[in-house]
């Protein structure tokens, strides 16, 4: 779908009117959204069947955080939100699975943008007790205390059914927390309804297998 929509966009069948181009953009955005949903469901089933591997690499988590901020910032700007970034200039060297850290942060940032009607979202990073600590915060709708732990359950969504204005599978946080735990870390949340939310991701700079020996499903790269 995306490929054929792109061919239309490139004008291979002749020039598009302004209205046609807008419709083609919609088709592309919806197709990408479907790809994300499918990827999320597949990722969840891979984890359920224990087939998600950890691939360890040496990585600079400060550079990774800046890269992720660069990806999320335009999405925030599109809906009129400010984006704050607080990442150290110095390297934050780690041996972990960078693709998983990236997925966790992108997931939390996309939620932050999705549930923040106005104000700002942010990403911060600091080092504490051998862990990289990322904080994703927003000035959004917030989450009431009774939902705070339940949002990590599969398919749990605070605002459901007909009143729901934003999309999603309800799997994002389940996956993000499982990924963080595969890296020896975890995710915690603090929130106040109407004020905003802060998700804290703690990831050990040295993946625990380096200390305790190799475990099934953990591969060591560079
Ligand atoms: P999805 O975003 O696909 O619904 P998630 O597992 O990512 O699923 O999140 C579960 C629920 O937690 C969301 O539906 C929403 O109700 C709540 N939530 C997650 N992040 C935020 C946030 N930053 N602000 C307010 N509510 C949030």
């Amino acid at each position: 779908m995306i490929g054929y929509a792109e061919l239309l966009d490139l004008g291979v069948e002749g020039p598009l009117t302004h209205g046609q181009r807008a419709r083609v953009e919609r088709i592309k955005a919806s197709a990408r959204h479907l790809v994300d949903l499918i990827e999320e469901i597949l990722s969840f089933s891979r984890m359920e069947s224990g087939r998600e591997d950890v691939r360890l690499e040496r990585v600079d988590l400060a550079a990774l955080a800046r890269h992720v901020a660069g990806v999320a910032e335009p999405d925030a700007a599109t809906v009129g939100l400010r984006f704050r970034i607080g990442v150290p200039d110095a390297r934050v060297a780690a041996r972990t699975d960078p693709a998983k850290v990236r997925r966790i942060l992108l997931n939390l940032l996309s939620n932050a943008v999705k549930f923040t009607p106005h104000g700002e979202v942010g990403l911060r990073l600091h080092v504490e007790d051998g862990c990289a600590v990322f904080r994703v915060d927003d000035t959004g709708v917030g989450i009431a205390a009774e939902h705070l732990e339940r949002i990590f359950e599969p398919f749990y969504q605070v605002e459901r059914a007909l009143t729901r204005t934003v999309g999603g599978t309800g799997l994002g946080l389940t996956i993000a927390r499982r990924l963080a735990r595969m890296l020896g870390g975890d995710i915690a949340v603090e929130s106040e309804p109407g004020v905003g939310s802060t998700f804290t991701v703690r990831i050990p700079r040295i993946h625990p297998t380096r200390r305790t020996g190799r475990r099934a499903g953990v591969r060591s790269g560079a």
Side-chain angles (χ1 to χ4, degrees):
M1 282 168 73
I2 295 172
Y4 281 109
E6 253 154 27
L7 288 178
L8 287 176
D9 210 6
L10 287 171
V12 290
E13 297 294 338
L16 298 185
T17 65
H18 185 69
Q20 286 167 336
R21 191 171 295 280
R23 297 292 189 277
V24 170
E25 279 310 316
R26 280 285 180 91
I27 293 171
K28 283 203 284 183
S30 306
R32 270 189 233 108
H33 181 61
L34 273 179
V35 171
D36 289 347
L37 289 185
I38 293 166
E39 180 47 45
E40 203 158 84
I41 293 164
L42 287 179
S43 178
F44 180 68
S45 10
R46 256 197 317 273
M47 282 181 185
E48 289 284 279
S49 57
R51 285 182 204 282
E52 182 84 36
D53 283 343
V54 173
R55 290 163 190 266
L56 297 180
E57 280 174 41
R58 282 182 221 285
V59 57
D60 172 12
L61 291 175
L64 184 148
R66 277 190 289 274
H67 171 79
V68 166
V71 175
E73 198 167 2
D75 294 337
T78 305
V79 291
L81 298 173
R82 286 184 301 280
F83 194 100
R84 274 174 302 101
I85 171 162
V87 173
D89 290 330
R91 282 172 60 79
V92 175
R95 189 174 173 81
T96 186
D97 184 333
K100 290 193 173 28
V101 179
R102 219 174 283 127
R103 271 177 64 200
I104 295 168
L105 296 178
L106 283 173
N107 191 293
L108 294 178
L109 282 166
S110 94
N111 274 349
V113 169
K114 203 159 76 170
F115 295 104
T116 303
H118 45 76
E120 51 187 53
V121 300
L123 173 65
R124 284 173 287 157
L125 166 64
H126 73 275
V127 174
E128 198 180 290
D129 302 332
C131 283
V133 182
F134 298 91
R135 287 212 161 82
V136 173
D137 53 10
D138 64 60
T139 58
V141 297
I143 304 156
E146 68 265 28
H147 299 295
L148 275 186
E149 267 310 304
R150 301 209 63 195
I151 56 173
F152 292 97
E153 293 172 10
F155 304 109
Y156 191 85
Q157 296 177 314
V158 173
E159 192 202 343
R160 304 198 110 166
L162 294 173
T163 54
R164 197 172 169 88
T165 48
V166 292
T169 56
L171 285 174
L173 286 177
T174 312
I175 294 172
R177 178 173 258 179
R178 287 195 193 178
L179 291 174
R181 289 183 175 169
M182 286 175 87
L183 302 181
D186 209 347
I187 303 184
V189 57
E190 286 167 87
S191 185
E192 202 179 320
V195 177
S197 310
T198 303
F199 286 81
T200 304
V201 186
R202 198 172 285 272
I203 304 288
R205 290 174 70 183
I206 308 288
H207 189 274
T209 48
R210 299 299 292 172
R211 292 189 218 111
T212 58
R214 288 174 66 84
R215 249 196 345 230
V218 178
R219 291 184 205 181
S220 207

